[in-house]
Amino acid sequence: SLQMGWIESPGFFNVPSETGRDVAEHYAAAPIGSLPDHKFLSHTQSMPEYQALPDEPVDPTHPLMFMLEVYVDDYISLAVARCKADLDHLANATMHGIHSVFPEDAKDEDDPISLKKLKKLEGAWALNKDLLGWTFDGIAKTIELD
């Protein structure tokens, strides 16, 4: 078991976290809609900017652009989304990638993907987001250090 919060944790945690990211990126490369819905998918779909997107891409010839990153145990998905299906696909890819390395728990409260953080909308798609001391602004297309 790898514990977070211990002074030696980041060095040990880096390899499995990066592996989860690599698996998530592999899943994200699959055709849109080909992944099963993750049990926590609904927690990513609550923001108004997500709801305002069309269900399917208006121009399917325009590719989905995205980036997946991880810092210790914080997984970060950035996307230039065409539709809800794009964001659902990336959310499914990311969460299934995490569970490929850190197996899901039958009890949601004990899952490696923090239900507590998801309930605080930390996993919800949004145009503006504070992550690890940075503010990402999807409208202005800027990143600022807090």
Side-chain angles (χ1 to χ4, degrees):
S1 158
L2 298 173
Q3 288 184 306
M4 293 307 301
W6 176 50
I7 195 162
E8 299 293 328
S9 293
F12 290 119
F13 218 81
N14 187 14
V15 172
S17 293
E18 287 288 337
T19 301
R21 189 207 65 84
D22 292 345
V23 172
E25 195 159 75
H26 175 75
Y27 290 159
I32 304 294
S34 64
L35 301 174
D37 284 350
H38 191 275
K39 67 179 181 176
F40 291 143
L41 180 63
S42 64
H43 293 283
T44 70
Q45 302 169 326
S46 57
M47 299 300 280
E49 46 266 57
Y50 171 87
Q51 297 298 327
L53 288 169
D55 291 336
E56 298 295 326
V58 175
D59 180 6
T61 63
H62 185 267
L64 169 61
M65 295 186 293
F66 67 92
M67 183 172 79
L68 304 177
E69 291 297 335
V70 63
Y71 176 75
V72 186
D73 65 341
D74 291 316
Y75 285 79
I76 302 163
S77 301
L78 304 170
V80 179
R82 305 166 298 173
C83 60
K84 291 177 188 170
D86 287 346
L87 297 181
D88 291 347
H89 182 75
L90 290 176
N92 284 323
T94 301
M95 292 187 286
H96 285 303
I98 293 168
H99 279 154
S100 72
V101 176
F102 304 102
E104 69 180 283
D105 198 289
K107 187 176 175 189
D108 289 350
E109 291 76 17
D110 294 333
D111 199 275
I113 297 173
S114 173
L115 182 60
K116 182 179 173 182
K117 288 183 178 183
L118 291 173
K119 286 181 176 179
K120 292 195 289 185
L121 303 178
E122 290 186 26
W125 289 108
L127 287 171
N128 294 300
K129 191 74 111 170
D130 292 325
L131 299 167
L132 303 171
W134 294 88
T135 299
F136 291 76
D137 184 332
I139 303 267
K141 296 180 179 34
T142 59
I143 303 171
E144 295 179 18
L145 186 58
D146 288 341

